[in-house]
Amino acid sequence: MSVAQHSEVGAAHRPMTREEKKVIIASSTGTVFEWYDFYLAGSLAANISANFFSGVNPTAGFIFTLLSFAAGFAVRPFGALFFGRLGDLIGRKYTFLVTMMVMGLATFVVGLLPGYASIGIAAPIAFIACRLLQGLALGGEYGGAATYVAEHAPQNRRGFYTSFIQITATFGLFLSLIVILALRLSMSAESFAAWGWRVPFLLSILLLGISIWIRLQLQESPAFTKMKAEGTLSKAPLSEAFGQWKNAKIALIALIGGTAGQAVVWYAGQFYALFFLTQTLKVDGTTANVLIAAALLLGTPFFVVFGALSDKIGRKPIILGGCLIAALTFFPLFTTLTKVGNPALYNAHDNVKITVTADPATCGSLFDPVNVRTFTSPCDLARRALAIGALNYQLVPAAAGAPLKVEVAGKEVPFGATFNADLTAAAQAAGYPKAGDAGIVNVNKGLNGQFWSMIGILFILVLYVTMVYGPIAAMLVELFPTRIRYTGMSLPYHIGNGWFGGFLPPTMFAIVASTGDIYSGLWYPVVIALMTFVVGLLFLPETKDRDIYKS
């Protein structure tokens, strides 16, 4: 293809050719498999905890599991910098071929890793190392795929076409849930816990082979090919993107006024919703997966709806509107999830009084999103145990030096070696539901009104996700010039989604444990979403009419 032909790619109103549609489909399919690999750790959090973190107590094991999930997000910005630079130097196609291979092999290795019972502390270390490799790979994958698709799309349809890349994240989660669900239904719970949970990780080697074949069919981005032919490639993408204030300012606005709010709405609406169902509402894993999968199936088309709508009315009003609506409704929606999904738990929170009376000096902050602290105080250990059990409590200050006193419905639960078991028994005797309570939503009871109500609430949460996420790729691509686009857009996206979003589950759990209110963690996504709404409203430019081939 000639340079002259390349220059026509961005012409307004030009329909997408059959070959370009093939490129978009191939690129999106490969990215689905990468997201599938990445999300398995979150979808199988309970099994990960039991196998790799079994050497610690259940409370710490759950925190470690959330943090190992977050570890992959923590390094995503570094992957964005490393692979983004390569993408702007050597090309989009070859860079995300490498990211895909790293992702697939790291996921496959997780399926083979021995557990804590076999190799001790080496098990969680090896697992976290694999998560770090996955995070680095994903840090380079998304920016490449979004840039690649946008640079093939007609100028007036970028929101529509890049929305298919946005679908890949949710579809990757959906695929992981379906595979897990199929395995759960095809074997006993004991077999799944013993070895069946490894199968989804091992399947990644097949997906890797398919992905490599798909990616090898792709041609290089026409925009990159044009720059290479004209000799206008950036020689130092990192310093040009972030060392020059005119570009660094754009990245900062994109982060605070765009991707930070988008990330917390996305991860609260999909991932924290799954954690909330299983860890707080005590919904069994199979039912929780069915509920989330159904909501994702219903909501996924709206990524394309809002992506296409952004081509008409702009990226900014849809993204910021989604942040605002989510911030205003998260509390009532999650409260309703409790009321519908586990009515006995909802009633117990109102009717069963639990108090933790302790010297304030012995009760520290439980905020520990990167797990650098060791908790030894009885007050801190008791509050974490209460949070794990989804038991609301009130913290009552006692005199200096006074011993810890935990009371459930007026009866003291002594703090000691059997505290966790005694606490559970006391809470259940006072009115908290037991595991498997008949009132908890369960797919085995059939598709009744309770089941459909839960799907309806979860669908609303997913709808918010589609609003903020559907147009974000087009907006980020349009914010940065072609010569530094891969690098420039990748960093704010992955700081937003890797840090603000990736650390959302452990951060929200820590807030809940510290306050004694199962809903208090929602303040984290609410505050961040409102921040993005205000900053984006004031400083984020509208980009839908920009010609990305002039930059």
Side-chain angles (χ1 to χ4, degrees):
M1 185 180 289
S2 69
V3 174
Q5 286 175 302
H6 281 310
S7 66
E8 296 173 1
V9 175
H13 308 299
R14 181 185 63 78
M16 184 167 282
T17 66
R18 180 177 180 181
E19 183 62 24
E20 287 169 340
K21 290 179 181 179
K22 177 183 176 181
V23 165
I24 304 306
I25 294 171
S27 180
S28 299
T29 302
T31 307
V32 165
F33 295 153
E34 289 219 34
W35 283 111
Y36 163 85
D37 287 351
F38 191 75
Y39 287 146
L40 285 176
S43 301
L44 292 168
N47 301 94
I48 295 295
S49 179
N51 283 272
F52 296 126
F53 301 101
S54 58
V56 294
N57 64 65
T59 300
F62 178 62
I63 293 290
F64 270 117
T65 302
L66 293 181
L67 286 166
S68 67
F69 182 66
F73 291 91
V75 298
R76 279 170 56 176
F78 302 102
L81 290 174
F82 179 77
F83 290 110
R85 176 179 178 273
L86 287 182
D88 283 326
L89 286 174
I90 67 174
R92 296 24 170 152
K93 172 186 174 180
Y94 296 107
T95 300
F96 59 42
L97 269 172
V98 174
T99 63
M100 179 192 61
M101 293 183 67
V102 172
M103 174 71 80
L105 291 175
T107 305
F108 179 70
V109 168
V110 170
L112 299 175
L113 281 179
Y116 193 97
S118 300
I119 60 174
I121 194 64
I125 292 174
F127 172 71
I128 291 174
C130 289
R131 287 295 296 166
L132 294 176
L133 287 173
Q134 288 180 322
L136 289 171
L138 192 61
E141 164 67 19
Y142 176 84
T147 299
Y148 187 82
V149 170
E151 290 177 349
H152 278 86
Q155 181 167 312
N156 63 328
R157 306 293 306 279
R158 277 193 299 271
F160 174 68
Y161 283 103
T162 56
S163 67
F164 288 98
I165 288 294
Q166 305 307 91
I167 285 178
T168 61
T170 293
F171 195 75
L173 173 61
F174 178 78
L175 181 62
S176 71
L177 292 177
I178 291 299
V179 170
I180 293 167
L181 181 61
L183 287 167
R184 286 184 184 276
L185 296 176
S186 65
M187 63 180 66
S188 68
E190 293 75 17
S191 295
F192 186 84
W195 60 269
W197 67 272
R198 294 180 178 273
V199 175
F201 291 96
L202 298 175
L203 284 176
S204 67
I205 200 68
L206 299 177
L207 301 181
L208 176 61
I210 296 172
S211 299
I212 291 175
W213 178 81
I214 290 173
R215 289 283 169 89
L216 288 175
Q217 313 304 309
L218 301 179
Q219 301 298 316
E220 184 52 83
S221 157
F224 183 85
T225 304
K226 178 176 181 289
M227 281 196 307
K228 186 175 181 180
E230 294 174 347
T232 58
L233 295 175
S234 175
K235 296 180 180 180
L238 288 178
S239 60
E240 188 175 342
F242 309 115
Q244 299 178 13
W245 176 241
K246 66 176 183 179
N247 292 324
K249 179 177 66 175
I250 295 173
L252 188 61
I253 293 172
L255 169 62
I256 301 175
T259 60
Q262 165 259 302
V264 297
V265 172
W266 181 20
Y267 287 100
Q270 290 188 179
F271 299 104
Y272 187 72
L274 181 59
F275 284 130
F276 190 79
L277 289 178
T278 57
Q279 300 299 324
T280 302
L281 302 189
K282 311 304 178 185
V283 177
D284 71 277
T286 299
T287 299
N289 284 347
V290 170
L291 290 170
I292 293 293
L296 293 177
L297 185 62
L298 293 172
T300 294
F302 287 90
F303 284 106
V304 178
V305 171
F306 287 116
L309 185 62
S310 75
D311 287 325
K312 300 183 182 297
I313 68 172
R315 326 298 186 202
K316 183 173 173 176
I318 298 175
I319 295 171
L320 298 186
C323 287
L324 179 61
I325 296 171
L328 295 176
T329 60
F330 268 164
F331 277 99
L333 285 173
F334 277 87
T335 301
T336 306
L337 275 177
T338 305
K339 187 175 183 179
V340 174
N342 192 338
L345 180 66
Y346 178 83
N347 292 329
H349 285 158
D350 289 337
N351 300 324
V352 180
K353 184 178 181 180
I354 301 177
T355 58
V356 176
T357 305
D359 176 2
T362 66
C363 300
S365 168
L366 296 179
F367 186 72
D368 185 30
V370 294
N371 197 49
V372 296
R373 301 170 58 197
T374 300
F375 296 98
T376 58
S377 165
C379 178
D380 294 342
L381 294 172
R383 289 185 294 156
R384 285 157 67 92
L386 286 160
I388 286 288
L391 308 176
N392 277 4
Y393 71 88
Q394 293 178 342
L395 184 60
V396 180
L404 172 73
K405 183 178 182 180
V406 178
E407 291 183 305
V408 178
K411 296 182 179 180
E412 183 175 355
V413 180
F415 185 82
T418 61
F419 174 75
N420 287 3
D422 294 342
L423 177 65
T424 299
Q428 291 175 354
Y432 271 88
K434 297 180 180 180
D437 182 88
I440 300 175
V441 63
N442 192 304
V443 69
N444 292 328
K445 293 192 290 187
L447 306 184
N448 54 21
Q450 182 188 33
F451 185 85
W452 287 113
S453 295
M454 292 291 285
I455 290 177
I457 300 165
L458 293 168
F459 167 72
I460 294 172
L461 292 173
V462 173
L463 194 63
Y464 295 162
V465 173
T466 65
M467 287 185 69
V468 299
Y469 198 56
I472 200 78
M475 185 199 76
L476 290 172
V477 166
E478 293 158 350
L479 279 172
F480 295 93
T482 307
R483 56 191 283 114
I484 59 167
R485 180 168 294 134
Y486 199 149
T487 304
M489 73 162 289
S490 293
L491 187 62
Y493 175 83
H494 286 293
I495 290 179
N497 288 274
W499 292 357
F500 284 90
F503 286 109
L504 180 144
T507 300
M508 291 179 69
F509 178 82
I511 295 172
V512 168
S514 295
T515 61
D517 181 350
I518 66 168
Y519 307 113
S520 60
L522 292 169
W523 281 113
Y524 174 72
V526 166
V527 170
I528 299 299
L530 288 176
M531 175 193 72
T532 289
F533 175 76
V534 173
V535 173
L537 191 65
L538 295 176
F539 301 107
L540 188 68
E542 181 52 66
T543 62
K544 77 177 181 70
D545 294 322
R546 289 187 178 181
D547 184 349
I548 63 174
Y549 286 82
K550 289 183 179 180
S551 56

